[in-house]
Amino acid sequence: MKLSRFGAAISAFLLSTTPLAAETLDNTSIIQLVEIGLGEEAIVAKIDATAARFDVTTDQLIVLKNRGVPSSVIAAMIAKSNAPTVSDAASVSMDDPDPMVPHASGVYLMADWLAEPKMQYIDATTTNQTKTGGFLGYALTGGIASMSFKTVIPQPSARIATSQPRPTFYFYFDQANSSLSNRGGANFWMAGAVTSPAEFSLVRFKVKNDRREAKVGKINIGGAKAGVMAKDQIPFDYERLAPGVFRVTPNVELEPGEYGFLYSSQTGSGVGMAGVGAQTSRIFDFSIAG
Protein backbone atom coordinates (compact mmCIF):
# COMPACT_ATOMS: atom_id res chain seq x y z
CA MET A 1 0.00 0.00 0.00
CA LYS A 2 2.74 2.35 0.99
CA LEU A 3 4.62 1.46 -2.22
CA SER A 4 1.51 2.14 -4.26
CA ARG A 5 1.08 5.55 -2.66
CA PHE A 6 4.79 6.31 -3.22
CA GLY A 7 4.46 5.41 -6.92
CA ALA A 8 1.39 7.61 -7.25
CA ALA A 9 3.28 10.50 -5.66
CA ILE A 10 6.19 10.07 -8.06
CA SER A 11 3.81 10.02 -11.03
CA ALA A 12 2.11 13.19 -9.85
CA PHE A 13 5.50 14.87 -9.42
CA LEU A 14 6.64 13.90 -12.93
CA LEU A 15 3.40 15.18 -14.46
CA SER A 16 3.75 18.48 -12.61
CA THR A 17 7.32 19.02 -13.88
CA THR A 18 6.75 17.95 -17.49
CA PRO A 19 6.98 21.04 -19.79
CA LEU A 20 3.69 21.90 -21.42
CA ALA A 21 3.54 22.12 -25.18
CA ALA A 22 3.88 25.67 -26.45
CA GLU A 23 0.47 27.25 -26.94
CA THR A 24 -0.54 28.54 -30.34
CA LEU A 25 -3.68 30.60 -30.74
CA ASP A 26 -5.99 30.17 -33.70
CA ASN A 27 -9.40 31.47 -34.77
CA THR A 28 -11.25 28.87 -32.72
CA SER A 29 -9.39 29.70 -29.50
CA ILE A 30 -10.20 33.40 -29.94
CA ILE A 31 -13.90 32.62 -30.41
CA GLN A 32 -13.81 30.50 -27.25
CA LEU A 33 -12.25 33.35 -25.26
CA VAL A 34 -14.96 35.73 -26.50
CA GLU A 35 -17.75 33.28 -25.66
CA ILE A 36 -16.60 32.85 -22.04
CA GLY A 37 -16.79 36.63 -21.63
CA LEU A 38 -13.11 37.53 -21.46
CA GLY A 39 -12.74 41.28 -22.07
CA GLU A 40 -11.36 42.80 -25.28
CA GLU A 41 -8.23 44.18 -23.63
CA ALA A 42 -7.39 40.83 -22.07
CA ILE A 43 -7.81 38.99 -25.38
CA VAL A 44 -5.62 41.52 -27.23
CA ALA A 45 -2.95 41.18 -24.53
CA LYS A 46 -3.13 37.38 -24.91
CA ILE A 47 -2.69 37.72 -28.70
CA ASP A 48 0.34 39.98 -28.25
CA ALA A 49 2.00 37.62 -25.79
CA THR A 50 1.31 34.26 -27.45
CA ALA A 51 2.33 32.53 -30.66
CA ALA A 52 -0.52 32.44 -33.14
CA ARG A 53 -1.59 31.06 -36.48
CA PHE A 54 -4.65 33.02 -37.53
CA ASP A 55 -6.70 32.74 -40.71
CA VAL A 56 -7.54 36.34 -41.60
CA THR A 57 -8.95 35.83 -45.07
CA THR A 58 -12.10 37.81 -45.85
CA ASP A 59 -14.39 34.80 -45.36
CA GLN A 60 -12.89 34.07 -41.95
CA LEU A 61 -13.15 37.69 -40.87
CA ILE A 62 -16.88 37.53 -41.63
CA VAL A 63 -17.15 34.36 -39.53
CA LEU A 64 -15.31 36.00 -36.64
CA LYS A 65 -17.57 39.04 -36.72
CA ASN A 66 -20.71 36.90 -36.86
CA ARG A 67 -19.48 34.96 -33.82
CA GLY A 68 -19.22 38.19 -31.82
CA VAL A 69 -15.48 38.81 -31.94
CA PRO A 70 -14.95 42.58 -31.36
CA SER A 71 -13.31 44.67 -34.08
CA SER A 72 -10.35 45.55 -31.82
CA VAL A 73 -9.60 41.83 -31.35
CA ILE A 74 -9.90 41.17 -35.09
CA ALA A 75 -7.51 44.06 -35.74
CA ALA A 76 -5.02 42.54 -33.29
CA MET A 77 -5.30 39.18 -35.07
CA ILE A 78 -4.59 40.82 -38.44
CA ALA A 79 -1.60 42.70 -37.01
CA LYS A 80 -0.24 39.51 -35.46
CA SER A 81 -0.55 37.68 -38.80
CA ASN A 82 1.36 40.41 -40.63
CA ALA A 83 4.12 40.82 -38.04
CA PRO A 84 7.57 39.54 -39.16
CA THR A 85 8.61 36.29 -37.53
CA VAL A 86 12.05 35.13 -36.45
CA SER A 87 12.32 33.08 -39.64
CA ASP A 88 11.45 36.18 -41.69
CA ALA A 89 14.26 38.13 -40.01
CA ALA A 90 16.67 35.26 -40.56
CA SER A 91 15.87 35.30 -44.28
CA VAL A 92 17.32 38.81 -44.66
CA SER A 93 20.80 38.39 -46.11
CA MET A 94 23.99 40.39 -45.71
CA ASP A 95 26.03 38.71 -48.45
CA ASP A 96 23.81 36.86 -50.95
CA PRO A 97 24.96 37.82 -54.48
CA ASP A 98 21.40 37.73 -55.80
CA PRO A 99 20.19 41.36 -55.61
CA MET A 100 16.55 40.27 -55.50
CA VAL A 101 17.05 38.37 -52.25
CA PRO A 102 15.99 40.62 -49.32
CA HIS A 103 18.99 42.41 -47.79
CA ALA A 104 19.33 44.63 -44.77
CA SER A 105 19.19 48.34 -45.62
CA GLY A 106 22.47 49.88 -46.68
CA VAL A 107 25.12 50.01 -49.40
CA TYR A 108 26.81 46.86 -50.69
CA LEU A 109 29.75 46.18 -52.99
CA MET A 110 29.54 43.14 -55.24
CA ALA A 111 32.78 41.39 -54.32
CA ASP A 112 35.00 40.18 -57.18
CA TRP A 113 35.62 36.72 -55.76
CA LEU A 114 35.36 34.46 -58.79
CA ALA A 115 35.06 31.26 -56.80
CA GLU A 116 32.21 32.47 -54.59
CA PRO A 117 30.69 35.86 -55.45
CA LYS A 118 29.27 37.71 -52.47
CA MET A 119 27.99 41.12 -51.53
CA GLN A 120 30.03 43.05 -48.99
CA TYR A 121 28.20 45.40 -46.66
CA ILE A 122 29.88 48.81 -46.44
CA ASP A 123 29.76 50.26 -42.95
CA ALA A 124 28.95 53.95 -43.00
CA THR A 125 31.26 56.53 -41.51
CA THR A 126 29.72 59.66 -40.00
CA THR A 127 31.98 62.67 -39.70
CA ASN A 128 31.53 66.30 -38.82
CA GLN A 129 35.23 67.06 -39.13
CA THR A 130 35.70 69.94 -41.58
CA LYS A 131 39.06 71.56 -42.26
CA THR A 132 39.90 74.60 -44.32
CA GLY A 133 42.40 74.95 -47.14
CA GLY A 134 43.75 78.07 -48.82
CA PHE A 135 43.01 80.34 -45.89
CA LEU A 136 46.21 82.39 -46.31
CA GLY A 137 45.58 83.07 -49.99
CA TYR A 138 41.97 83.97 -49.20
CA ALA A 139 43.09 86.41 -46.52
CA LEU A 140 45.93 88.00 -48.51
CA THR A 141 43.80 88.55 -51.63
CA GLY A 142 40.77 89.85 -49.79
CA GLY A 143 38.70 86.89 -50.87
CA ILE A 144 39.71 86.81 -54.52
CA ALA A 145 41.41 83.46 -53.99
CA SER A 146 39.08 80.73 -52.80
CA MET A 147 39.17 79.03 -49.44
CA SER A 148 37.99 75.41 -49.50
CA PHE A 149 36.30 73.25 -46.90
CA LYS A 150 37.02 69.54 -46.70
CA THR A 151 35.39 66.66 -44.91
CA VAL A 152 37.89 64.43 -43.13
CA ILE A 153 37.84 60.66 -42.51
CA PRO A 154 40.33 59.11 -40.11
CA GLN A 155 42.50 56.24 -41.32
CA PRO A 156 44.34 56.31 -44.67
CA SER A 157 42.34 53.57 -46.37
CA ALA A 158 38.89 51.97 -46.41
CA ARG A 159 38.11 48.57 -44.92
CA ILE A 160 36.40 47.36 -48.11
CA ALA A 161 38.47 47.04 -51.29
CA THR A 162 38.05 45.73 -54.82
CA SER A 163 40.32 45.29 -57.83
CA GLN A 164 37.55 46.04 -60.33
CA PRO A 165 37.94 49.48 -61.93
CA ARG A 166 34.16 49.72 -62.45
CA PRO A 167 32.67 47.93 -59.44
CA THR A 168 28.97 47.28 -58.99
CA PHE A 169 27.12 48.51 -55.91
CA TYR A 170 23.65 47.86 -54.58
CA PHE A 171 21.66 50.35 -52.50
CA TYR A 172 18.87 48.93 -50.35
CA PHE A 173 16.42 51.51 -48.99
CA ASP A 174 13.84 50.88 -46.29
CA GLN A 175 10.64 51.78 -48.11
CA ALA A 176 8.54 51.47 -44.96
CA ASN A 177 10.40 54.42 -43.43
CA SER A 178 11.08 56.26 -46.70
CA SER A 179 14.76 56.27 -45.86
CA LEU A 180 17.85 54.17 -46.31
CA SER A 181 17.07 52.57 -42.91
CA ASN A 182 17.27 53.95 -39.41
CA ARG A 183 20.86 53.13 -38.57
CA GLY A 184 23.20 55.46 -36.85
CA GLY A 185 22.94 58.73 -35.00
CA ALA A 186 19.63 60.52 -35.41
CA ASN A 187 18.07 57.86 -37.63
CA PHE A 188 20.40 58.94 -40.39
CA TRP A 189 19.86 56.46 -43.11
CA MET A 190 18.82 59.27 -43.31
CA ALA A 191 17.59 62.11 -41.13
CA GLY A 192 15.26 62.97 -43.96
CA ALA A 193 13.59 61.15 -46.81
CA VAL A 194 16.63 59.88 -48.71
CA THR A 195 15.31 57.29 -51.13
CA SER A 196 17.59 57.36 -54.18
CA PRO A 197 21.31 57.03 -55.02
CA ALA A 198 20.92 60.33 -56.90
CA GLU A 199 21.14 62.10 -53.54
CA PHE A 200 24.74 60.90 -53.06
CA SER A 201 28.01 62.09 -54.58
CA LEU A 202 30.72 59.65 -55.63
CA VAL A 203 34.07 61.25 -54.82
CA ARG A 204 37.75 60.37 -54.73
CA PHE A 205 39.56 61.13 -51.48
CA LYS A 206 43.03 62.56 -51.18
CA VAL A 207 45.13 60.64 -48.69
CA LYS A 208 47.01 62.84 -46.23
CA ASN A 209 49.15 60.86 -43.79
CA ASP A 210 46.64 59.23 -41.45
CA ARG A 211 43.44 60.59 -42.98
CA ARG A 212 41.41 61.05 -46.15
CA GLU A 213 39.90 64.33 -47.35
CA ALA A 214 37.28 65.43 -49.89
CA LYS A 215 36.24 68.99 -50.75
CA VAL A 216 32.67 69.80 -49.65
CA GLY A 217 32.49 73.56 -50.13
CA LYS A 218 34.32 76.77 -50.95
CA ILE A 219 34.09 80.51 -50.38
CA ASN A 220 35.55 83.55 -52.12
CA ILE A 221 34.64 87.14 -52.80
CA GLY A 222 32.04 86.00 -55.30
CA GLY A 223 30.11 83.91 -52.80
CA ALA A 224 30.05 80.48 -51.22
CA LYS A 225 29.05 77.01 -52.26
CA ALA A 226 28.24 74.08 -50.00
CA GLY A 227 28.41 70.46 -51.07
CA VAL A 228 30.66 68.56 -53.45
CA MET A 229 31.59 70.66 -56.47
CA ALA A 230 30.42 69.30 -59.82
CA LYS A 231 33.98 68.98 -61.10
CA ASP A 232 34.87 66.81 -58.10
CA GLN A 233 31.99 64.39 -58.55
CA ILE A 234 32.48 61.09 -60.38
CA PRO A 235 29.42 60.37 -62.54
CA PHE A 236 27.55 57.12 -62.00
CA ASP A 237 24.41 55.45 -63.30
CA TYR A 238 21.77 53.68 -61.27
CA GLU A 239 18.96 51.30 -62.14
CA ARG A 240 15.91 50.56 -60.00
CA LEU A 241 15.58 46.78 -59.77
CA ALA A 242 12.65 46.73 -57.31
CA PRO A 243 11.06 49.15 -54.85
CA GLY A 244 13.94 50.39 -52.70
CA VAL A 245 16.59 48.34 -54.56
CA PHE A 246 19.09 50.01 -56.91
CA ARG A 247 22.11 48.82 -58.90
CA VAL A 248 24.80 51.52 -59.09
CA THR A 249 27.87 51.59 -61.37
CA PRO A 250 30.44 54.33 -62.09
CA ASN A 251 30.35 55.74 -65.62
CA VAL A 252 34.13 55.59 -65.88
CA GLU A 253 36.87 53.26 -64.75
CA LEU A 254 38.26 54.26 -61.37
CA GLU A 255 41.99 54.51 -60.91
CA PRO A 256 43.57 52.87 -57.85
CA GLY A 257 42.82 54.99 -54.79
CA GLU A 258 40.30 55.85 -52.09
CA TYR A 259 36.65 56.58 -52.92
CA GLY A 260 33.27 56.88 -51.29
CA PHE A 261 29.59 57.67 -51.73
CA LEU A 262 29.03 60.83 -49.73
CA TYR A 263 25.88 62.42 -48.39
CA SER A 264 26.28 65.81 -46.71
CA SER A 265 23.76 67.76 -44.69
CA GLN A 266 24.23 71.35 -43.55
CA THR A 267 23.18 71.51 -39.93
CA GLY A 268 24.16 75.13 -39.39
CA SER A 269 23.39 78.35 -41.20
CA GLY A 270 25.42 81.04 -42.79
CA VAL A 271 28.89 81.08 -44.28
CA GLY A 272 31.89 82.41 -42.51
CA MET A 273 35.48 81.87 -41.63
CA ALA A 274 34.56 78.85 -39.54
CA GLY A 275 33.08 76.98 -42.46
CA VAL A 276 30.16 76.60 -44.81
CA GLY A 277 27.57 76.05 -42.11
CA ALA A 278 28.11 72.91 -40.05
CA GLN A 279 28.66 69.95 -42.33
CA THR A 280 27.78 66.42 -41.28
CA SER A 281 28.79 63.81 -43.83
CA ARG A 282 27.74 60.19 -44.13
CA ILE A 283 30.31 58.28 -46.19
CA PHE A 284 30.32 54.76 -47.60
CA ASP A 285 33.98 54.36 -48.44
CA PHE A 286 35.90 51.80 -50.46
CA SER A 287 39.30 51.33 -52.08
CA ILE A 288 40.27 50.45 -55.64
CA ALA A 289 43.34 48.24 -55.33
CA GLY A 290 46.25 48.79 -57.67
Side-chain angles (χ1 to χ4, degrees):
M1 185 60 124
K2 291 183 179 179
L3 185 60
S4 176
R5 290 178 179 176
F6 178 74
I10 292 295
S11 297
F13 173 76
L14 291 175
L15 287 173
S16 66
T17 57
T18 301
L20 297 176
E23 181 182 11
T24 301
L25 298 176
D26 58 16
N27 291 33
T28 300
S29 56
I30 295 300
I31 292 173
Q32 291 173 344
L33 293 176
V34 170
E35 290 179 343
I36 66 171
L38 193 63
E40 295 179 29
E41 293 183 0
I43 297 176
V44 170
K46 179 68 173 176
I47 291 172
D48 291 339
T50 311
R53 187 177 292 109
F54 295 130
D55 183 348
V56 291
T57 58
T58 301
D59 289 342
Q60 287 303 310
L61 293 181
I62 293 173
V63 171
L64 290 168
K65 192 63 179 176
N66 289 338
R67 295 293 295 271
V69 179
S71 297
S72 60
V73 174
I74 294 176
M77 294 172 66
I78 295 173
K80 185 79 170 186
S81 298
N82 293 331
T85 63
V86 174
S87 59
D88 293 333
S91 68
V92 176
S93 175
M94 294 292 288
D95 59 8
D96 195 302
D98 183 353
M100 302 313 295
V101 168
H103 286 68
S105 301
V107 175
Y108 296 76
L109 166 70
M110 181 61 79
D112 50 359
W113 302 333
L114 297 180
E116 186 181 2
K118 287 184 178 181
M119 285 196 192
Q120 285 184 287
Y121 178 78
I122 301 178
D123 287 315
T125 298
T126 302
T127 176
N128 56 11
Q129 296 185 50
T130 303
K131 66 184 294 287
T132 60
F135 172 76
L136 184 60
Y138 176 88
L140 293 177
T141 62
I144 295 176
S146 296
M147 178 170 62
S148 63
F149 302 94
K150 302 173 183 178
T151 190
V152 180
I153 313 178
Q155 307 300 327
S157 61
R159 184 179 64 86
I160 298 296
T162 178
S163 60
Q164 296 181 1
R166 290 188 65 185
T168 299
F169 301 88
Y170 291 92
F171 282 54
Y172 289 85
F173 294 84
D174 182 355
Q175 292 296 289
N177 294 318
S178 296
S179 65
L180 200 59
S181 99
N182 290 324
R183 300 176 186 218
N187 289 337
F188 174 76
W189 230 183
M190 264 18 134
V194 181
T195 57
S196 167
E199 299 176 64
F200 293 78
S201 297
L202 176 56
V203 299
R204 181 173 184 177
F205 291 96
K206 291 184 178 180
V207 179
K208 300 288 186 69
N209 299 322
D210 60 346
R211 66 184 187 274
R212 287 160 285 162
E213 302 176 351
K215 189 184 297 184
V216 292
K218 71 175 184 178
I219 181 175
N220 57 28
I221 197 171
K225 293 183 179 179
V228 180
M229 304 297 106
K231 66 182 182 64
D232 296 323
Q233 296 186 34
I234 300 171
F236 61 85
D237 284 329
Y238 63 90
E239 175 187 5
R240 186 193 302 269
L241 304 180
V245 182
F246 295 83
R247 178 190 291 123
V248 176
T249 52
N251 287 358
V252 296
E253 292 191 353
L254 305 180
E255 297 179 358
E258 299 296 321
Y259 298 85
F261 289 96
L262 183 150
Y263 178 92
S264 292
S265 59
Q266 187 168 329
T267 57
S269 61
V271 179
M273 302 305 290
V276 183
Q279 293 284 336
T280 297
S281 299
R282 189 76 160 179
I283 303 161
F284 303 87
D285 57 331
F286 62 96
S287 300
I288 299 294

